[in-house]
Amino acid sequence: MALKPVLGKLGSKRVVLASASPRRQEILCNVGLRFEVVPSWFKETLEKSSFATPYKYAIETAKQKALEVANRMHVKHLRTPDIVIGADTIVTVDEYILEKPVDKQDAYRMLSRLSGKEHSVFTGVAIVHCNSKDNRLETEVTDFYEETKVKFADLSEELLWDYIHSGEPMDKAGGYGIQALGGMLVEYVHGDFLNVVGFPLNHFCKKLVELYYPPPKHTLHHIKHDSVPSVETFENISDEESDSSSPIQYKDAIKMDRSKLHSSGGGCSPGSSNIIKPNCMVPVENWNGVMENPDKFPSKIVELLDGFRASKALFVASKLKVFDLLKNKGVLQSVDVANTINASVCGTERLLDACAALGLLEKTIQGYSNTDSANTYLASDSEDSLHGYIIHSNDHLWPLFTHLESAVKEGTMQNYRAFGKKSENLFQDSYYQSMEVKQRFMAAMHSIAKLTAKDVATAFDLSQFRSACDLGGCTGALANELVQKYPNLKVTVFDLPEVIANVSHFQPVGQHTAPVTFTSGDFFKDNLPAADLYILSRILHDWTDEKIHVLLSKISAACKPGCGLLLSEMVLDDEKKNRSTALLQSLNMLVQTEGKERSGSEYQSLLEHHGFTSVKIRLTGNLLDAIFCTKC
Ligand SMILES: Cc1cn([C@@H]2O[C@H](COP(=O)(O)OP(=O)(O)OP(=O)(O)O)[C@@H](O)[C@H]2O)c(=O)[nH]c1=O
């Protein structure tokens, strides 16, 4: 059998599948692989937003699952496996990453998001080779991913709930199982079906060929990182064809050629084109020509080093209205973009190329055009535009972050250093000091609120409340979402007079907004409007614990028993080590306010101190999480 040599290589090894998924076990069992199952204890809590692409997140989770099992078996059970296989399947749609639903409501949210649309299923796989040396575990990780596109039919509410009540969605990424009842929801599948089920068998076997049957060294220049091996199929491989059966030897071959490259001193430098020159006998990475041996090249660090350049390229393209122009014109050559935005042709071309490489633009022979996500999020006039927040990041946060070092040394905000003005009264002095700055700040808050409002509004069932007061609710974006979701709810947005005077042009056009009213006042000084639900969205992170106590005691006094309090903030994990977006946001609060981001238990103790109980926290996967509690 053509497959036998590939899998036969694993026959003499102790292979462990680090997965509790019965589907993965079945897929590998069906092809005759012998393995032990040791489910991973790794919690799937990596910060999604810290990964440039969804598949990188899936690969990293797969890797961590496998490494956790390898370490546990080595340390706890004194049994070092030869190979540990880890996998992680995710579903992506509209920029969301969907994993397994936490409850039926969550499954409903996922499936209605998938209804009538095409989505991608990514499975990241890690093959970890283990070796015990002087009682220390050594590991070599090979990883890859596979993408399959799946299109769902339009799902009626009835079908959706019938399917949810079948119980099938609960342990499956995206809330469906294509191999069973879920198959009835699917219009088409493009790509590997088994990848959707949970394990990309075909790509896995090709990877094994790549590892155990490396091509002769003189053909190494055909290999591309993370592509299938230069051998088009694994079917024709037999044991006799290879003189090497160890993945380590293969890596050594690559290392040798890398060193040859370095000593040759030219022709293929990391900054040069990624066209493979005939004398470059090296594996070639993708877009930036960096030759990557995943174990030796510090890709994470390099990505961080580059991070500010990528941010600034996005900021400048947004400021120069490149995405607006391309949304209106469709496709343009760089010279036309340069002429319209009044900039140099050489500079514009480099900016456009960088944006294309970062996935913000498409580049073809006809010219440059917006990607779908640029049309949705970067054009300033689109419904879900982040333009306001991007301009705020460029004009306000960037200057503040240039003083991060002083902020860290002094432990205080840097408004004076960045803008030459003391912020004794944070909002009046920093954000509302001029009409221009105020409008920019409100546009920024509006874009974040729009992006997060749906997830915050649906994080908990708030249908028992009739009146809500959004303290510091700014343009009313969350309030408008809440009244859409809960038709019996009336919301008062309570904010400073300077804000309320400017809210009108942020109101949704053509939407019935009568249940939202705006009242001006200062929540520290004035009486709070009566309500049975209070909301604080991105408020507590601006202030010290002392000021929070003042505010919470006022809210607590205004609340009758049974009243609710909804917070939305980025919630840190209790150990403050995993959620990088939230931890960076906490640095962001350091440079500009006296506040900080807090962990779930920190919020819980602040709330309980003021008589709020049943504190529940929901991580939404969006930029704001939600915390709900009731007054006892
Ligand atoms: C889209 C889809 C997914 N799944 C299952 O969804 C789980 C994903 O979750 P995971 O986190 O990757 O794996 P797990 O089940 O938690 O197991 P583990 O590897 O131990 O983390 C896996 O089961 C897959 O089969 C199906 O069975 N059918 C489908 O059509």
Side-chain angles (χ1 to χ4, degrees), residues 18-21 23-24 40 44 65 87-89 91 100 121 171-173 176-179 196-198:
S19 174
S21 168
R23 277 75 56 180
R24 293 195 181 115
S40 180
E44 293 170 43
K65 285 181 184 181
D88 189 63
T89 302
V91 167
K100 288 164 290 188
V121 181
D171 61 343
K172 300 184 181 72
Y176 74 95
I178 199 167
Q179 69 278 18
V196 184
V197 181

